[in-house]
Amino acid sequence: MRKLIYGMNLSLDGYIAAPGDDIGWGVPSDELFQFWSDQLQATDLSLYGRKLWQTMSSYWPTGDQRPNATPAEIEFARRWRDMSKVVFSSTIDKVDWNTRLVTGDAVAEITRLKAEDGGPMDIGGATLAGAAMRAGLIDEYVLATAPVLVGGGTPFFTALDNWVNLNLVETRTFPDGVVLTRYETRR
């Protein structure tokens, strides 16, 4: 059975994007960017909601070809392009870069994917991750909390029907005061 990991940068007040989908407050330090790149390398399959997919696919397919790309960005772009991805959307009809589109029941498909043999999967996008959270499918949460309050926007966590008990497995501090916390779901 595969492990499902939900991790993103978020503000101290719990948002992954400020109003208007503004993520300018969350530019990672080189060290934090390398952490996310290493996470990507350890991931077998990435699951995306439509909005995050559109953000990622608008930049990373050619991120390594930009004149000011750092070595870490070049490495991340190549990893991202080459890895297997699944996008869940009923409003787009085409995906590229080693990606499969799913237009049906996301929770059923994520449940099926988790039951397969294989390495860890990550999930990104608040709506998609929220559905997986409510269904009890997320095994690990990785929060890179920035020392900024944005006051509203897209929350990292969704409303839940039941409590989810977690075990803290790691804390780490990055430059610029970002605190990484990793939790495993207690089953």
Side-chain angles (χ1 to χ4, degrees):
M1 175 171 272
R2 290 176 157 180
K3 181 180 201 179
L4 182 61
I5 303 165
Y6 175 38
M8 295 186 80
N9 297 329
L10 68 150
S11 64
L12 184 60
D13 51 351
Y15 296 95
I16 59 173
D21 293 329
D22 183 357
I23 57 172
W25 54 268
V27 176
S29 66
D30 290 343
E31 186 179 351
L32 180 57
F33 187 86
Q34 187 62 55
F35 169 83
W36 287 122
S37 185
D38 293 344
Q39 288 289 110
L40 187 67
Q41 182 177 8
T43 300
D44 191 48
L45 179 65
S46 283
L47 313 177
Y48 288 100
R50 178 193 52 83
K51 283 175 78 174
L52 184 58
W53 166 254
Q54 289 175 325
T55 298
M56 296 294 282
S57 66
S58 70
Y59 185 84
W60 289 113
T62 59
D64 57 336
Q65 299 165 19
R66 299 177 190 270
N68 58 345
T70 66
E73 289 171 329
I74 290 168
E75 177 181 46
F76 186 91
R78 290 180 183 155
R79 286 177 180 166
W80 185 88
R81 215 175 27 242
D82 293 344
M83 77 176 310
S84 296
K85 298 172 281 297
V86 176
V87 174
F88 295 85
S89 176
S90 59
T91 60
I92 59 176
D93 57 10
K94 183 180 184 292
V95 292
D96 293 318
W97 308 289
N98 203 22
T99 305
R100 180 173 63 90
L101 178 64
V102 173
T103 59
D105 183 340
V107 170
E109 179 64 7
I110 295 168
T111 301
R112 186 188 72 74
L113 290 167
K114 275 194 67 155
E116 292 180 347
D117 289 334
M121 301 185 303
D122 68 16
I123 188 168
T127 302
L128 181 63
M133 228 183 282
R134 285 187 300 281
L137 297 173
I138 298 181
D139 301 299
E140 184 176 310
Y141 296 84
V142 182
L143 293 77
T145 306
V148 60
L149 302 172
V150 299
T154 305
F156 179 83
F157 291 106
T158 187
L160 297 172
D161 300 326
N162 300 299
W163 293 1
V164 176
N165 293 308
L166 306 170
N167 291 321
L168 178 65
V169 294
E170 180 183 3
T171 60
R172 184 171 165 188
T173 302
F174 287 91
D176 303 327
V178 171
V179 176
L180 178 94
T181 49
R182 278 190 331 112
Y183 299 90
E184 289 182 346
T185 302
R186 232 184 286 158
R187 304 240 188 246

